Structure formats: structure tokens, C-alpha cells
Amino acid sequence: MKVGTDQPALFETSIRSLPLLHRGKVRDIYGVDEDKLLIVQTDRLSAFDVILPTPVPGKGRLLTALSSFWFEKLEHIVPNHLTYIAPESVVTEDERGQVTGRAFVVKRLRPLPIEAIVRGYVVGSGWKDYKKTGMICGIPLPAGLEEAGRIPGGALFTPSTKAAQGAHDENIPFAEAQKLLGEPLAAQVRDIALALYTQAADYAITKGIIIADTKFEFGQDQIGRLYLIDEALTPDSSRFWPAERYAPGRNPPSYDKQFVRDWLETQNWNKKAPAPALPPEVLAKTAEKYREALHRLVS
Ligand SMILES: Nc1ncnc2c1ncn2[C@@H]1O[C@H](COP(=O)(O)OP(=O)(O)O)[C@@H](O)[C@H]1O
Ligand SMILES: [Mg+2]
């Protein structure tokens, strides 16, 4: 698959022919009609939870291609929200350049009120939780696990609430997800999320990428059918590690954001917006990482 990264970067869309519903950290979301949305993957990049002022050329297109790849590959496990309507067909002619290769027209569904997080490795908030309690989100684990070690016995489903904007999502025990969704739906979401993660991670490792953990979102249509929505298994929704640099006992470098984080750490910056502008060499190296992730996975 060839995805050009030579066009100018898109920091923010300005599509005036459709109502803007939401600007996320990375995606801009427009209403198409009553039952469809336009999701545009911009080139915005966030680090330490702050949107950086400098976009990464090509990032949105690479992530669009990667999500497409996973949606299709995992479709046999659960249907997804893609409609395959060309995004160019729902905007005006002069707006087409903003959507080509970086947008999806999706079914407008009712998002479930949880984030379906799956963890294959003990890292991040999971590692903090484990050190303190011997458990991750209330699930007991054997003693003596190392930071970034693989979770013995297979991946864990560790849902979180969807926090209002600005607030941080909160991990919840499975019993809480059962209360929010009802028991049959909670079990269905858990089983599907685990199957999606396991199949994707087993595939990615054959291409030299460890998917340490990931976040899925699900939505329902009017008659209660379940769909995978949002994005699928991108470096923005997941922790990707290069397998060749993996060693349990320390947190491996992030596949895509290592250069950005390393450089930001050298700056006199308090990790609050606004962040400093990124120098061209950091941008170029970061863009190269997204290109590499896509090409490794898709080839
Ligand atoms: N098919 C869909 N129907 C309805 N809402 C969706 C669909 N796909 C994704 N969403 C919603 O779109 C929003 C994406 O916004 P957000 O997460 O803030 O963006 P970002 O990931 O760029 O920060 C989420 O709230 C998600 O639930
Ligand atoms: Mg999001």
C-alpha cells in the first residue's frame, strides 16, 4: 500500500458544507445526515495529553490506512461502522482535498458508555496498579511480574468509563461494566474485544510489532446490533512497541512517539498547553515511524 507523506500537513479541517460536531485530539467529526458521520483523521499529534502545535505530515493518511486494514481483517469477528461511501462525495468540490485518503463516512451509532481496553502486557497504569495491589483493575495476577512483562494466561479486559472532555478516563471493575451495559452485553463486549486484540496482536508480532494494549469503542444501531466504531488498532489508540527493542523489566520505547517525547523532555516545558513547536528533524523521524508501522503491518 502506498500512502504519500509528501503533501502539506493538515492541522485542522475547515469543512463548511457540513456541521462540525466535535474536534478531538486527532479527529474532526462532522454530521453527514441523520445516520452518517464524516470522521477526518488530521495530522495532529498529541504527547503527554497535549495537542502539539506542529502537525506530522502524512500521519492522518497513514492512520486511516491502518484503521481500514484492521477493520477489514477483523470483520469476521464483529461488523464495523464503515459505509464505504467515498468521503469526497459528501463534501463540496473545494473541500475534497481535506478528506482524500484521510476520512471515513461511517454509520452514526450509539456509542456504548465504556472504553473497551485490552491489555496483553503489564505496563503504564496497569503496572502502577499491579505494583500497588497485585491486581490490574481488580483482576488478581501472580506475584513477581516485571514491568512490561507479558501477562501470563492471556490478555485482560480492563474497561474504563468515558470521561467528559478534559477529565481522565477511569478504570472500572468488570462488575461496573455489567451495571452500565447489562450482563449479556458486557460479556459480549468483553469476548469480542479480547478476540480482536488477540488476533491482531498475534498477527502484528509476526511483523515485528508488539501491540501491548489497545482501546476499542463499540456502538449499537437502533435494533441493538453491535459494531466496532471509532478507530482500530492504531498507535493513537494502542501501545505499539518494536519487537526488536523489547525486553521485560523496563518500559520499551514507544513505536511512534519516542522521538517526540525524548525531544520534549529536553525542553523547558511544563507539559501543559501550549507545547513548543517541533523541529523538522523530529517531525521527519516521527512521520517515518508511522510510515514504517503501516508498511510492516500491511506488507
Ligand atoms: N460510528 C460512530 N458513531 C457515533 N460516534 C462515533 C462513531 N465512531 C466514533 N465515534 C465517537 O467519535 C468520538 C471521537 O472523538 P475523540 O475521541 O475526542 O477524538 P480523538 O480520538 O481524535 O481525540 C468518540 O467520542 C467516539 O465515541
Ligand atoms: Mg478518542
Side-chain angles (χ1 to χ4, degrees):
M1 193 181 311
K2 246 192 127 66
V3 179
T5 50
D6 43 358
Q7 282 131 312
L10 179 75
F11 183 74
E12 201 172 85
T13 56
S14 56
I15 293 171
R16 308 208 190 282
S17 61
L18 299 174
L20 175 68
L21 303 182
H22 175 70
R23 264 194 229 284
K25 287 210 190 84
V26 174
R27 275 89 50 76
D28 291 348
I29 299 179
Y30 294 85
V32 173
D33 59 26
E34 228 167 69
D35 46 33
K36 288 187 225 65
L37 300 173
L38 177 72
I39 301 185
V40 189
Q41 273 77 226
T42 70
D43 294 326
R44 293 194 291 272
L45 172 71
S46 69
F48 304 112
D49 265 345
V50 173
I51 298 171
L52 305 180
T54 333
V56 178
K59 172 176 182 268
R61 290 198 174 87
L62 292 161
L63 263 53
T64 303
L66 192 54
S67 267
S68 289
F69 168 76
W70 289 120
F71 277 132
E72 191 186 328
K73 192 172 186 62
L74 301 169
E75 206 165 26
H76 68 103
I77 298 175
V78 65
N80 61 63
H81 65 166
L82 298 186
T83 64
Y84 297 100
I85 293 170
E88 291 88 343
S89 72
V90 303
V91 297
T92 57
E93 211 174 318
D94 60 312
E95 293 166 342
R96 287 184 187 156
Q98 299 183 57
V99 299
T100 296
R102 62 163 76 249
F104 295 124
V105 178
V106 304
K107 295 188 176 80
R108 191 173 196 154
L109 298 162
R110 195 157 33 85
L112 299 186
I114 64 157
E115 313 246 15
I117 297 166
V118 180
R119 300 165 193 268
Y121 292 75
V122 193
V123 72
S125 69
W127 170 243
K128 274 193 203 144
D129 200 3
Y130 174 73
K131 267 197 308 190
K132 207 157 78 186
T133 66
M135 302 187 275
I136 297 184
C137 300
I139 305 168
L141 290 171
L145 300 182
E146 290 181 288
E147 181 175 20
R150 193 167 180 183
I151 295 173
L156 305 179
F157 176 66
T158 61
S160 76
T161 56
K162 277 191 192 170
Q165 245 182 334
H168 281 287
D169 297 340
E170 220 179 291
N171 292 334
I172 52 171
F174 184 63
E176 187 66 30
Q178 288 176 312
K179 270 191 223 150
L180 286 167
L181 305 181
E183 287 184 23
L185 183 57
Q188 191 189 4
V189 166
R190 175 196 58 203
D191 295 347
I192 291 173
L194 286 169
L196 291 171
Y197 169 80
T198 304
Q199 179 156 342
D202 287 354
Y203 169 81
I205 195 69
T206 69
K207 306 289 183 177
I209 292 179
I210 293 172
I211 303 177
D213 49 33
T214 194
K215 180 212 71 174
F216 298 109
E217 288 193 43
F218 294 93
Q220 285 181 305
D221 65 12
Q222 302 232 328
I223 61 166
R225 264 184 310 215
L226 194 67
Y227 293 81
L228 181 60
I229 66 168
D230 208 55
E231 59 188 321
L233 294 147
T234 69
D236 282 353
S237 66
S238 322
R239 240 189 212 98
F240 281 24
W241 294 332
E244 68 276 8
R245 299 189 57 191
Y246 172 71
R250 64 187 173 91
N251 196 347
S254 138
Y255 200 98
D256 53 314
K257 287 185 189 162
Q258 51 179 306
F259 298 117
V260 172
R261 290 203 190 121
D262 290 352
W263 182 81
L264 285 170
E265 294 287 10
T266 68
Q267 301 300 299
N268 184 14
W269 176 52
N270 62 1
K271 300 195 175 139
K272 295 203 172 78
L278 299 176
E281 67 277 10
V282 175
L283 277 181
K285 279 184 179 164
T286 303
E288 175 50 31
K289 279 292 163 189
Y290 286 105
R291 224 173 297 141
E292 185 186 301
L294 178 70
H295 291 150
R296 275 201 196 186
L297 287 169
V298 169
S299 61

